C-alpha cells in the first residue's frame, strides 16, 4: 500500500468521453493543481490537421477571443483554436469508502484515495471573448464624445468611516459565497509536468500501488480484523445521507411529482384531490403527456362519477388499515364509501341521515366520505362537489360505457351487503323547491295563534297533571352541523334568518310547552341570565324540576321544539351565531337564545350586541364600543361594562356570548 496520505493517488474521470476514446495519445500541453482544493486544470492539443476539424470555425473562435493584435497573453497563439482546457470537479467529498485496487498473481493490492475528480471541458475562453466585445463597444461609445469633455468636472466627495464589524456580521461575511471564492483564489497554482501512460516515471509510480512488504508480521498497518477493515472501507449508508429540506409530510412538490412514473403521478394527485375533471388532471401533468396513457392510468385508481374522476376507496383505505376516527376496518370503510359514490352516480344530492341509516358507520366516517366529494347545501343535504362534465362523457363514450358496467357490478354487491333495492333511490328529476323565508313577526304570530287555539286543551292537561310526575325533556335527533333540511311539512317552514322555529304541524302534545308555569320559569331564567344556549336551559330546567316538592311538578313530556317555542313566546329570540367550521360544540350548544325585550331602555344596547353576534362568533370590546356609538350616540363606559358582564364571557382578549366559548 502507499506509504502516507500525501502519496495517496487521485483518480481522474472523463464522464463525457467514451471509455474506448482515451486521451492517452493526446499531447498534454500543460497541467496545474491546487492541492488543498484538489482542483486540477489540463490543456490538451487539438489535431488541427484532422479531416474532422473545421478550420474556418477554429480561426473565427480564435479571432473572437484574442482579436487581431498579437500578444503574449493570447489564448490561441497560432490564430487558430488548437487546444482545449479541462477543469476538475469533485465527484465526492468523502473518499474513505473508495480505494484503488490491483489484482496481481492472486493477490489484491488496495490503496486508499485522496480524491476522485471528474474532468470536464472548460469554456473560459468564451468569457474572454465576451469581455473583449464589451470593451470594443465601450470604446466605440466613448469615441463619439468631443475633446471638450475630456476633463471631468470637480466634484465634492463624502468621506464615510465604516462601523466596527459585529460578530454576527463577521460570521455572515466568512460564510458568504464571495468570501469563499476569494479564499479559493488565494491558493496558488502548482504547475506540474505530465508523464504519459507508457513513460518510465509513470511505471515507477504504479509500483507504489503494490504492497512492498508481503510479510504480514512486518505490516503494522493491518491491525484490524477483516470485518472491521471492511466496515472502514464501506461504512453504513446512514453516515452519508444527504440532508433534504424539511417540508410538510403531506406535501409533494410538482418537481418531485414529475420524477415519478405516470401511473404514480396520477395516483398521487387523485389521493390528494379526491375528485377532479380529466381536463384538470392533464393540466397538472407534464406538457406532452399522452392523454390515452393518462386515461389508462386513471381508470386503475379512480371511478367516473358525473363525468368527473373520484379516487377509488381501496386507494384511500388500503387493506389491513383502519379508520383514524373510529378504528373501523378498511374493508368496511370501502363498502360504505362505495355506496356514497354510487348514490352520486344517480343524483346530485344525498341526505347524510339516509346514508348513515343504511351503511351504519360512525358519523365521523360518513362525514369524511361526504367531505371528499360533496359540499353541504341548505335544504338540499350534500351536493356533489363538481358540475357534471358532459363534454368528457360525450368525447369518450366507450369509457363511459365501461364505467357504467363497473358501477352495475358494484351496485349488485352493495345490494347484497346493505339489503336495499336500487328502486329505493330513484333519480330525483323533479326540481327542488326553493326554501321559503319568512319574517320573525310571521313566525311569532303563528306560534301565538297555535297557543291560543290549544289554550283550552292545555288547561285541561295542566289540571290533570297537577298531581305530580317529573318533567321529561324529550331529546330529538339533530344532525351534526351539516345544514341538512329539517321537517318542513307545514305552511311555515323552519330555517328563517331570524332564528324563530317554524310552525310545524302539531303531533298531539305541541301546545303543552306554552303552559303558564313553563313561561314563568322561562321569563325568570332569562331575566337573570339574559343569554342561554338550549343545552344550558335544559340543565337549569331539570334542576328546577328536581328542586320542586314531590308531586308538585306540572310539566308534561317536552320536546326540543316545544322548549324553543316557549322561549320565543317569552320575548326572546334566537341568535344565529356563526360558529367556526371546526367547532366542537354540540347541536344544542349551538342554539343560542337571548332576552330581546324587557321594556327597559337598556334593551337597545343588548340588541346592538346581539346583531354583532349574528355576524361574528366573537368580538372585540373596542368594536362593540364603536358600534354602540354609531347606533346610540355616546355610550358611557359603565354601560359597556354592564352589557359585556351580563351577556358575554372574555377569553384571550375576545368576547363570546355566554355558553359559546368552548374549552
Amino acid at each position: 500500500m502507499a506509504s502516507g496520505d500525501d502519496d495517496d493517488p487521485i483518480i481522474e474521470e472523463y464522464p463525457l468521453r467514451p471509455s474506448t476514446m482515451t486521451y492517452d495519445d493526446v499531447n498534454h500541453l500543460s497541467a496545474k493543481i491546487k492541492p488543498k482544493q484538489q482542483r486540477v486544470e489540463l490543456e490538451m492539443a487539438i489535431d488541427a490537421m484532422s479531416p474532422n476539424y473545421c478550420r474556418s470555425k477554429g480561426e473565427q473562435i480564435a479571432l473572437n477571443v484574442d482579436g487581431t493584435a498579437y500578444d503574449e497573453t493570447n489564448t490561441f497563439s497560432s490564430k487558430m483554436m488548437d487546444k482545449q482546457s479541462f477543469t476538475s470537479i469533485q465527484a465526492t467529498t468523502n473518499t474513505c469508502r473508495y480505494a484503488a485496487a490491483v489484482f496481481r498473481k492472486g493477490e489484491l493490492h488496495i490503496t486508499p484515495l485522496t480524491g476522485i475528480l471528474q474532468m470536464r471541458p472548460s469554456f473560459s475562453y468564451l468569457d474572454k471573448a465576451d469581455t473583449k466585445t464589451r470593451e470594443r463597444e465601450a470604446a466605440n461609445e466613448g469615441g463619439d464624445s468631443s475633446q471638450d469633455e475630456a476633463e471631468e468636472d470637480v466634484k465634492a466627495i463624502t468621506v464615510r468611516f465604516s462601523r466596527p464589524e459585529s460578530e454576527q456580521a463577521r460570521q455572515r461575511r466568512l460564510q458568504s459565497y464571495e468570501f469563499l471564492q476569494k479564499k479559493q483564489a488565494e491558493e496558488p497554482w502548482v504547475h506540474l509536468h505530465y508523464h504519459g501512460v507508457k513513460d518510465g516515471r509513470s511505471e515507477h509510480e504504479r509500483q507504489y500501488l503494490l504492497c512492498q512488504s508481503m510479510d504480514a508480521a512486518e505490516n503494522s498497518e493491518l491491525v484490524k480484523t477483516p470485518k472491521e477493515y471492511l466496515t472502514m472501507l464501506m461504512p453504513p449508508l446512514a453516515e452519508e445521507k444527504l440532508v433534504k429540506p424539511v417540508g410538510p409530510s403531506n406535501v409533494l412538490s410538482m418537481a418531485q411529482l414529475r420524477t415519478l412514473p405516470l401511473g404514480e403521478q396520477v395516483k398521487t394527485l387523485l389521493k390528494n384531490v379526491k375528485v377532479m375533471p380529466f381536463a384538470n388532471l392533464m393540466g397538472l401533468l407534464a406538457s406532452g403527456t399522452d392523454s390515452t396513457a393518462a386515461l389508462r392510468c386513471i381508470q386503475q385508481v379512480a371511478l367516473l362519477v358525473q363525468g368527473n374522476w373520484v379516487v377509488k376507496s381501496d386507494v384511500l383505505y388500503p387493506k389491513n388499515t383502519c379508520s383514524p376516527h373510529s378504528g373501523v376496518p378498511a374493508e368496511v370503510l370501502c363498502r360504505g364509501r362505495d355506496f356514497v359514490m354510487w348514490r352520486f352516480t344517480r343524483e346530485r344530492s344525498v341526505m347524510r341521515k339516509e346514508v348513515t341509516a343504511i351503511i351504519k358507520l360512525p358519523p365521523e366516517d360518513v362525514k369524511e366520505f361526504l367531505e371528499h366529494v360533496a359540499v353541504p347545501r341548505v335544504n338540499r343535504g350534500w351536493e356533489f362537489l363538481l358540475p357534471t362534465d358532459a363534454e368528457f362523457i360525450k368525447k369518450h363514450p366507450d369509457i363511459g360505457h365501461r364505467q357504467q358496467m363497473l358501477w352495475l357490478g358494484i351496485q349488485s354487491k352493495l345490494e347484497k351487503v346493505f339489503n336495499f333495492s336500487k328502486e329505493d333511490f330513484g333519480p330525483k328529476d323533479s326540481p327542488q323547491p326553493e326554501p321559503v323565508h319568512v319574517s320573525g313577526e310571521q313566525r311569532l304570530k303563528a306560534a301565538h295563534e297555535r297557543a291560543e287555539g290549544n289554550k283550552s286543551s292545555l288547561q285541561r292537561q295542566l289540571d290533570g297533571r297537577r298531581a305530580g310526575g317529573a318533567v321529561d325533556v324529550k331529546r330529538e335527533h339533530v344532525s351534526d352541523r351539516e345544514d341538512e333540511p329539517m321537517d318542513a311539512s307545514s305552511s311555515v317552514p323552519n330555517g328563517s334568518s331570524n332564528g324563530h322555529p317554524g310552525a310545524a304541524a302539531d303531533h298531539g302534545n305541541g301546545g303543552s310547552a306554552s303552559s303558564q308555569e313553563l313561561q314563568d320559569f322561562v321569563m325568570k331564567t332569562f331575566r337573570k341570565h339574559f343569554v342561554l344556549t338550549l343545552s344550558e336551559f335544559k340543565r337549569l330546567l331539570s334542576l328546577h324540576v328536581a328542586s320542586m316538592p314531590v308531586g308538585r311538578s306540572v310539566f308534561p313530556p317536552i320536546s326540543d321544539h316545544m322548549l324553543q317555542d316557549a322561549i320565543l313566546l317569552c320575548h326572546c329570540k334566537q341568535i344565529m351565531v356563526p360558529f367556526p367550521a371546526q367547532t366542537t360544540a354540540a347541536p344544542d350548544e349551538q342554539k343560542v337564545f337571548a332576552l330581546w325585550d324587557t321594556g327597559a331602555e337598556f334593551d337597545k344596547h343588548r340588541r346592538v350586541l346581539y346583531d354583532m353576534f349574528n355576524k361574528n362568533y366573537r368580538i372585540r370590546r373596542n368594536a362593540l364600543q364603536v358600534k354602540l356609538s354609531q347606533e346610540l350616540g355616546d355610550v358611557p363606559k359603565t354601560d359597556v361594562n354592564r352589557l359585556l358582564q351580563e351577556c358575554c364571557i372574555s377569553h384571550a382578549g375576545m368576547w363570546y356570548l355566554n355558553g359559546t366559548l368552548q374549552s
Side-chain angles (χ1 to χ4, degrees), residues 63 175 178 221-222 227 249 259 283 379 402 601 622 661:
L63 179 63
Q175 295 176 5
E178 183 179 353
E221 293 187 16
L222 299 178
K227 186 174 182 181
S249 59
T259 61
N379 292 334
R402 191 180 306 122
E601 186 68 21
N622 57 356
L661 176 61

Side-chain angles (χ1 to χ4, degrees), residues 318-602:
K319 195 174 181 180
N320 299 326
T321 61
C322 60
S323 166
H325 306 294
S326 59
V328 175
E331 294 80 359
V332 181
L333 292 176
C334 289
R335 288 198 298 265
R337 187 173 180 275
D338 286 345
F339 176 79
V340 173
M341 290 196 298
W342 173 77
R343 286 290 305 274
F344 279 119
T345 62
R346 301 176 62 82
E347 51 192 312
R348 286 290 301 174
S349 301
V350 300
M351 303 298 290
R352 174 173 163 180
K353 286 184 286 188
E354 292 180 4
V355 172
T356 306
I358 292 175
I359 64 177
K360 295 180 175 60
L361 286 178
E364 298 85 359
D365 294 323
V366 179
K367 190 173 184 180
E368 183 178 76
F369 298 160
L370 292 169
E371 286 176 340
H372 286 171
V373 296
V375 291
R377 301 293 187 195
V378 177
N379 292 334
R380 283 186 289 173
W382 289 77
E383 184 181 19
F384 192 68
L385 187 63
L386 299 175
T388 303
D389 192 352
E391 183 179 350
F392 178 84
I393 299 173
K394 183 178 179 181
K395 187 176 180 180
H396 303 281
D398 53 333
I399 294 178
H401 179 70
R402 191 180 306 122
Q403 290 290 313
Q404 187 178 2
M405 294 298 103
L406 285 174
W407 277 118
L408 288 175
I410 294 173
Q411 174 189 316
S412 62
K413 293 179 181 178
L414 294 175
E415 288 178 351
K416 295 177 182 177
V417 172
F418 297 122
N419 193 22
F420 69 89
S421 173
K422 66 178 181 179
E423 286 75 15
D424 299 338
F425 308 103
K428 300 176 182 178
D429 298 327
S430 58
Q432 294 290 334
E434 291 295 326
V436 180
H437 297 281
V438 295
S439 66
E441 289 75 8
Q442 290 175 314
R443 306 203 68 140
L444 192 57
K445 182 180 178 182
H448 274 296
E449 291 175 353
R450 187 178 58 194
E452 288 293 334
N454 295 327
K455 187 173 183 180
S456 58
S457 61
L458 293 177
Q459 189 62 40
R460 287 195 301 272
Q461 292 181 19
L462 178 61
D463 295 338
R465 295 177 184 272
R466 292 279 186 186
V471 67
D472 178 16
V473 179
K474 176 184 173 185
R475 295 182 176 271
E476 296 185 347
H477 174 72
V478 182
S479 60
D480 300 337
R481 272 188 74 81
E482 57 182 356
D483 294 332
E484 291 190 357
M486 299 170 65
D487 181 18
S489 58
S490 68
S491 59
V492 186
N494 289 314
S496 67
S497 58
N498 63 6
H500 289 290
D506 288 339
H507 298 283
N509 60 353
S512 62
S514 60
S515 65
Q516 190 61 40
E517 186 79 16
L518 180 58
Q519 291 188 26
D520 291 343
F521 174 75
V522 171
M523 288 299 298
K524 179 181 176 182
T525 303
F526 274 91
R527 283 185 178 275
K528 179 180 179 181
H529 297 282
F530 294 100
V531 177
L532 288 171
T533 63
L534 183 60
S535 174
E536 179 65 11
F537 182 76
K538 286 182 183 179
R539 187 184 71 83
L540 295 174
L541 179 59
S542 298
L543 291 175
H544 172 67
V545 172
S547 65
M548 296 175 68
V550 178
R552 189 182 177 279
S553 176
V554 296
F555 296 115
I558 304 173
S559 69
D560 289 355
H561 284 296
M562 293 154 62
L563 275 180
Q564 294 177 59
D565 283 351
I567 294 172
L568 295 172
L569 286 171
C570 295
H571 307 290
C572 298
K573 283 192 178 182
Q574 185 174 356
I575 310 301
M576 306 303 290
V577 179
F579 285 86
Q582 65 273 20
T583 182
T584 58
D588 283 354
E589 294 174 340
Q590 297 180 35
K591 294 181 179 179
V592 184
F593 297 90
L595 185 59
W596 191 262
D597 186 11
T598 63
E601 186 68 21
F602 203 69

Side-chain angles (χ1 to χ4, degrees), residues 230-242:
L230 286 176
T231 304
M232 291 172 60
L233 288 178
M234 297 288 292
L237 293 177
E239 296 182 8
E240 204 179 51
K241 276 187 177 179
L242 297 177

Side-chain angles (χ1 to χ4, degrees), residues 602 605 621 625 628 633-642:
F602 203 69
H605 298 68
R621 179 193 176 92
Q625 198 151 6
L628 287 170
D634 190 18
V635 178
K637 184 178 179 181
T638 54
D639 288 353
V640 179
N641 292 338
R642 173 189 169 189

